[in-house]
């Protein structure tokens, strides 16, 4: 009698439970949206370089008096001894660049170009940032109202945005500045013009933010958590500012970052046209305007403020693009 054959098929061994600590013995932890966005941003070296440049510009604007006291001269101090007595052009090469005057001196007046660029950063960044704040506040408020309520409210706000987008902003600012008094609401001189630039640029800039916020709100208002908030008795104010607004922070932040370089260019253009801050207050656009008379003989006086504007705008754009990619989970690189 033959012995029964043994089954050579390997018996199924029950799988061991998954190790929550992972194969390397490390505990696996979930990551928040902020951590995911930061990790994505860290991988974008170009965006980080733009962010570092933006930070440096902000520090230069904040500590302008200290930087000028260490590396330059007062921005409105004249140094006629640095100019050629016959031509009133800077002595030496590259517009008078030296260890004492890092960016040379201004033709005809002899003012320190480096100091004026440092102080000009205050004007450009202040106007650009405050105008962006005004635009973001107004755009977020009207955009979220239009997107949530819809109907005639949405139609009224949308048509208002269309009108403002078609309005000639530069011409309006130039005409407004020309009729403003020198003293307004306790502000004098350049303070009046800075306030006007901030308010007008911000007012004409909010429709861009409003369109973005309105479109996002139209999508979010149909989500399940909004319906849940309504079913639990949440009022309109609660839904608008506690449910919708936190989910709009990412696109608002990204668009605000991309709006600042546009505001820098607008302020420089207005100063170039004579509608910005009043002399002798330093501004990058005003320096470009002054350089028109002497750029053929002293091109460096135009190069330094022009390159500064280029670097500032490029840095904000690179950082804004990287921030947009980091905050967009569906974005592709």
């Amino acid at each position: 009698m033959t012995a029964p054959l043994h089954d050579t098929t390997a018996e199924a061994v029950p799988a061991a439970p998954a190790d929550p600590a992972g194969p390397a013995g490390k505990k696996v932890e979930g990551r928040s949206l902020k951590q995911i966005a930061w990790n994505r941003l860290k991988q974008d070296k170009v965006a980080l370089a733009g962010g570092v440049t933006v930070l440096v510009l902000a520090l230069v604007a904040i500590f302008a008096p200290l930087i000028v006291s260490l590396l330059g001269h007062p921005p409105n101090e004249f140094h006629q001894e640095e100019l050629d007595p016959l031509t009133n052009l800077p002595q030496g090469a590259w517009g008078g660049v030296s260890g004492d005057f890092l960016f040379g001196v201004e033709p005809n007046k002899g003012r320190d170009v480096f100091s004026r660029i440092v102080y000009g950063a205050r004007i450009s960044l202040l106007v650009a940032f405050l105008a962006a704040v005004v635009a973001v506040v107004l755009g977020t408020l009207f955009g979220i109202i239009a997107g949530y309520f819809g109907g005639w409210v949405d139609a009224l706000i949308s048509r208002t945005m269309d009108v403002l987008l078609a309005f000639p902003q530069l011409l309006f600012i130039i005409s407004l500045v020309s009729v403003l008094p020198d003293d307004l609401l306790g502000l004098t001189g350049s303070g009046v013009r800075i306030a006007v630039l901030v308010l007008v640029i911000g007012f004409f800039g909010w429709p861009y933010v409003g369109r973005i916020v309105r479109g996002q709100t139209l999508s979010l208002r149909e989500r399940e958590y909004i319906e849940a908030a309504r079913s639990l008795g949440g009022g309109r104010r609660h839904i608008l500012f506690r449910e919708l607004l936190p989910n709009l922070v990412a696109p608002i932040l990204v668009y605000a970052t991309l709006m600042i370089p546009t505001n820098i260019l607008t302020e420089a253009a207005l100063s170039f046209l004579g509608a910005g801050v009043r002399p002798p207050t330093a501004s990058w656009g005003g320096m470009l305007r002054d350089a028109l008379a002497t750029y053929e003989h002293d091109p460096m006086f135009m190069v330094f403020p022009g390159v500064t504007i280029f670097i500032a705008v490029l840095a904000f754009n690179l950082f804004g693009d990287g921030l947009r990619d980091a905050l967009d989970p569906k974005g592709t690189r």
Side-chain angles (χ1 to χ4, degrees), residues 133-163:
V133 171
V134 172
V136 166
V137 171
L138 293 177
T140 301
L141 179 62
F142 288 108
I144 197 173
I145 290 175
Y148 180 75
F149 289 99
W152 67 270
V153 176
D154 183 18
L156 177 61
I157 295 178
S158 296
R159 299 295 78 76
T160 302
M161 289 191 289
D162 293 338
V163 171

Side-chain angles (χ1 to χ4, degrees), residues 68-329:
V68 168
S69 65
L70 295 175
L71 300 175
H73 303 268
N76 293 319
E77 184 176 274
F78 299 95
H79 299 272
Q80 295 292 336
E81 70 278 2
E82 299 295 327
L83 301 177
D84 188 293
L86 297 178
T87 62
N88 276 337
L89 295 176
Q91 298 181 11
W94 304 100
V97 173
S98 63
D100 199 23
F101 295 92
L102 300 181
F103 290 172
V105 294
E106 184 179 5
N108 299 322
K109 299 177 182 178
R111 293 181 294 192
D112 187 358
V113 176
F114 172 79
S115 300
R116 294 186 64 77
I117 286 180
V118 170
Y119 271 90
R122 281 189 154 188
I123 301 298
S124 294
L125 295 184
L126 179 65
V127 171
F129 177 77
L130 293 181
V133 171
V134 172
V136 166
V137 171
L138 293 177
T140 301
L141 179 62
F142 288 108
I144 197 173
I145 290 175
Y148 180 75
F149 289 99
W152 67 270
V153 176
D154 183 18
L156 177 61
I157 295 178
S158 296
R159 299 295 78 76
T160 302
M161 289 191 289
D162 293 338
V163 171
L164 292 177
L165 289 174
F167 201 84
Q169 175 183 345
L170 290 177
L171 295 179
F172 179 77
I173 296 178
I174 293 174
S175 60
L176 182 63
V177 167
S178 63
V179 299
L180 281 175
D182 294 335
D183 189 350
L184 182 65
L185 300 177
L187 299 174
T188 58
S190 294
V192 176
R193 295 201 172 190
I194 291 175
V196 171
L197 290 177
V198 168
L199 294 177
V200 175
I201 294 175
F203 179 75
F204 285 101
W206 76 261
Y208 298 97
V209 183
R211 282 187 166 185
I212 300 296
V213 174
R214 174 185 174 274
Q216 293 292 324
T217 303
L218 288 173
S219 174
L220 293 175
R221 72 178 184 179
E222 306 299 334
R223 297 290 180 88
E224 291 79 3
Y225 66 90
I226 300 297
E227 296 296 335
R230 290 197 189 99
S231 63
L232 293 175
R236 292 176 176 176
R237 181 179 301 179
H238 173 82
I239 294 175
L240 287 175
F241 298 105
R242 295 295 182 89
E243 302 293 340
L244 287 173
L245 187 58
N247 291 280
L248 295 170
V249 171
I252 291 173
L253 182 61
V254 169
Y255 201 85
T257 307
L258 295 174
M259 180 179 289
I260 291 177
T262 303
N263 294 343
I264 291 176
L265 290 175
T266 302
E267 186 278 328
L270 290 170
S271 295
F272 182 84
L273 295 173
V277 295
R278 289 188 171 183
T281 304
S283 69
W284 295 341
M287 295 178 69
L288 288 177
R289 181 191 63 228
D290 296 338
L292 284 178
T294 59
Y295 75 94
E296 293 181 352
H297 306 286
D298 182 19
M300 299 308 298
F301 183 40
M302 178 175 284
V303 168
F304 284 118
V307 170
T308 305
I309 295 174
F310 172 77
I311 292 175
V313 172
L314 180 62
F316 273 104
N317 282 329
L318 292 178
F319 180 67
D321 288 339
L323 189 63
R324 177 187 58 198
D325 294 337
L327 292 175
D328 183 9

